[in-house]
Amino acid sequence: MRRLLLASAALFALAVPAFGQSVDRNQVNRIIDEGTTRSQVMPIAEHLADVIGPRLTNSPQMRQAEAWTMAKFGEWGLKAVHREGFDFGRGWSIERSSVRMVSPRPIQLTAIPIAWTPSTGGTISAPVIVAPIKRERDFDKWRGKLKGKIVMVTLPDTGSEPGEGAFKRYTADELGKLDQYQQPTYAAADRRVKRLDFAKKLDAFLKAEGALAYATQSRSDGKLVHGEGYLFGVGDTPSVPGVEIAAEDYRRLARLAKSGTAPTVEIDTVVHYDDSDRNAYDIIAEIPGTDPKAGYVMAGAHLDSWVAGDGAADNGAGTAMVMEAARIIAATGVRPKRTIRFALWAGEEQGLLGSLAYVENHLATRGNPNDPKQTGLALYMGWSNRWPITPRPGWGDLAAYFNLDNGSGKVRGIYVENNQAVVPTFREWLAPFASMGANNVVIRKTGGTDHVFMQAVGVPGFQFIQDPLDYDSRVHHTSIDTFDHLKGADMRQASIILASFLVNAANAERALPRPPLPTQPVVTDPYAYSDDDE
Ligand SMILES: [Zn+2]
């Protein structure tokens, strides 16, 4: 059934009379040739992941990546290569960290400092206490009991076995399910914002109680750790050292604490803060268009990453594919009608902050200018709920934005993000790549990455459907996000398709249809009650 549907969709695409006019097949051939026989996508990814390493926003390695990517764009002949700064916060990097259980028996634990927490200031050695603290009202239970302890704040869980294979590609059936319209829903307040203050309150509580350090349990089994932390603002960073411990190691400590004398753990962490420049930087580069009045199209991926692994799949892969698309297009010598702009975002992992800064500076602002200015994650969660939207003069110039941030899997199609009107055009643009496995134009809207705030101000922003591989099952944000998990053939294919979409969008007779400028929606379910503890 699904196959029949796909086949008739392909026939329909072939029957469109404009077909062949809107896609320059010779240009497609040039892109495929450049992107296969002279591909640079894997060397780019390898340099980012292996040589530079993880790129936490404002860390020394991110600064290195900013300089290196700009130099590369310059080398390939891109124009207007520059960086655009926005206020972010403190740089933070790990020099070294060791977490060991020393009694009842010595064993090295798999653990990572939580981002933006401080050094231990030498080795600390102390008994652990399992004190699950999830919300403010848990403080009372533990008051007076934490002094001199390493506090295990996560409630230990019982672990889980994997239900399906760790590595997968989409089946036709799964792809078909992505082409189902889902009505948008709207709730007046984002309850996540309430929880944001909790990390700060927990830090203050632990400090006041005289705790030496705290530990959380990794949310993944298999000795994977992540180390995400969000208190990165100047004046906001925590005062108590924190480590995330691998689930198996954490549960062992918890079992021993329950059944006998609390184990003693030794932590020695050296981290560095860097306040020399609190600005983070988006990297921008262009292939100029021949018609200055035609506006521009853009592709983007975030350059920043977490630090447990090397930031290879998230999002060295997307960065490398966007850079490779730029290189391919430049190498083919095409002179597009619209400018093609490339953006490598910073601060994505802390709330899409780099692309948000771009939107605010170039496209539109939201809310009353007298609203209190939100920062960091609160800004991320609150921004889309500020009204009204005020377009900037450049709002109409951005004709289309394409994002890559779903690992290294090959492109299987594109999400039109509820922009129904672009479906026939995207079918034409995708048609040359059916034999490469990319033949699905689906209605579904996606979230969580840098096209979100473009859409939030009515700019046509899109994401490609990528094969999941082992991205969600084990690589995303974890200690094994390394080059080993990147697939070269997939990344070459995705770079080629992105390059082709960009050239088509840049040369299209008319700009892509835009969604209406959003206005404040009504609450979808005004009768719903909420549990504030959630
Ligand atoms: Zn990402």
Side-chain angles (χ1 to χ4, degrees), residues 302 314-315 348-349 405 449 471 476-477:
H302 68 89
D314 188 15
N315 190 13
E348 192 272 354
E349 298 293 6
D405 185 20
T449 182
Y471 187 63
H476 183 233
H477 292 190

Side-chain angles (χ1 to χ4, degrees), residues 204-332:
F205 173 70
L206 294 173
K207 189 184 178 195
E209 291 296 307
L212 295 183
Y214 75 99
T216 60
Q217 183 203 297
S218 169
R219 62 175 182 276
S220 313
D221 278 14
K223 289 264 188 175
L224 302 178
V225 292
H226 316 75
E228 300 128 327
Y230 296 91
L231 296 179
F232 51 86
V234 175
D236 257 3
T237 44
S239 47
V240 178
V243 289
E244 178 190 320
I245 298 179
E248 292 84 352
D249 286 337
Y250 189 95
R251 292 189 201 108
R252 184 198 298 107
L253 291 169
R255 284 193 302 272
L256 289 167
K258 188 94 174 175
S259 61
T261 311
T264 300
V265 165
E266 201 178 87
I267 309 178
D268 181 14
T269 285
V270 179
V271 301
H272 299 287
Y273 294 99
D274 179 3
D275 295 328
S276 59
D277 184 355
R278 58 194 265 174
N279 271 344
Y281 295 92
D282 295 329
I283 307 303
I284 308 284
E286 288 182 0
I287 295 172
T290 52
D291 179 353
K293 285 196 224 94
Y296 66 101
V297 300
M298 180 157 68
H302 68 89
L303 180 58
D304 69 298
S305 75
W306 291 110
V307 296
D310 292 335
D314 188 15
N315 190 13
T319 298
M321 294 187 284
V322 166
M323 291 176 74
E324 171 70 353
R327 189 198 67 78
I328 291 171
I329 297 169
T332 64

Side-chain angles (χ1 to χ4, degrees), residues 77-296:
L78 275 85
K79 304 288 186 252
V81 180
H82 67 285
R83 52 181 207 167
E84 297 189 1
F86 63 95
D87 188 23
F88 176 80
R90 310 189 75 182
W92 181 86
S93 55
I94 303 171
E95 183 181 311
R96 61 188 161 82
S97 176
S98 162
V99 180
R100 302 171 61 226
M101 181 170 85
V102 288
S103 78
R105 62 187 169 94
I107 179 173
Q108 187 76 35
L109 307 182
T110 300
I112 184 172
I114 292 166
W116 285 286
T117 58
S119 298
T120 49
T123 301
I124 56 173
S125 185
V128 298
I129 178 170
V130 182
I133 301 176
K134 223 165 85 178
R135 43 174 99 79
E136 248 178 289
R137 69 166 189 245
D138 297 332
F139 291 166
D140 281 343
K141 193 171 167 193
W142 299 106
R143 221 176 286 279
K145 297 175 184 163
L146 308 180
K147 195 172 172 53
K149 304 272 172 61
I150 293 170
V151 185
M152 295 168 62
V153 298
T154 311
L155 179 69
D157 64 13
T158 50
S160 62
E161 300 303 335
E164 54 179 20
F167 185 93
K168 59 175 281 186
R169 294 189 182 275
Y170 278 129
T171 63
D173 193 44
E174 287 167 328
L175 287 164
K177 286 187 181 129
L178 298 176
D179 196 20
Q180 287 168 2
Y181 179 78
Q182 291 177 324
Q183 286 191 13
T185 58
Y186 179 69
D190 190 331
R191 285 186 282 133
R192 293 175 304 175
V193 176
K194 271 188 130 180
R195 276 190 251 165
L196 282 181
D197 271 353
F198 181 69
K200 267 190 225 177
K201 286 175 181 157
L202 175 63
D203 180 62
F205 173 70
L206 294 173
K207 189 184 178 195
E209 291 296 307
L212 295 183
Y214 75 99
T216 60
Q217 183 203 297
S218 169
R219 62 175 182 276
S220 313
D221 278 14
K223 289 264 188 175
L224 302 178
V225 292
H226 316 75
E228 300 128 327
Y230 296 91
L231 296 179
F232 51 86
V234 175
D236 257 3
T237 44
S239 47
V240 178
V243 289
E244 178 190 320
I245 298 179
E248 292 84 352
D249 286 337
Y250 189 95
R251 292 189 201 108
R252 184 198 298 107
L253 291 169
R255 284 193 302 272
L256 289 167
K258 188 94 174 175
S259 61
T261 311
T264 300
V265 165
E266 201 178 87
I267 309 178
D268 181 14
T269 285
V270 179
V271 301
H272 299 287
Y273 294 99
D274 179 3
D275 295 328
S276 59
D277 184 355
R278 58 194 265 174
N279 271 344
Y281 295 92
D282 295 329
I283 307 303
I284 308 284
E286 288 182 0
I287 295 172
T290 52
D291 179 353
K293 285 196 224 94
Y296 66 101

Side-chain angles (χ1 to χ4, degrees), residues 1-15:
M1 184 62 186
R2 185 62 54 198
R3 259 191 206 134
L4 268 175
L5 279 176
L6 289 173
S8 63
L11 278 175
F12 170 76
L14 285 165

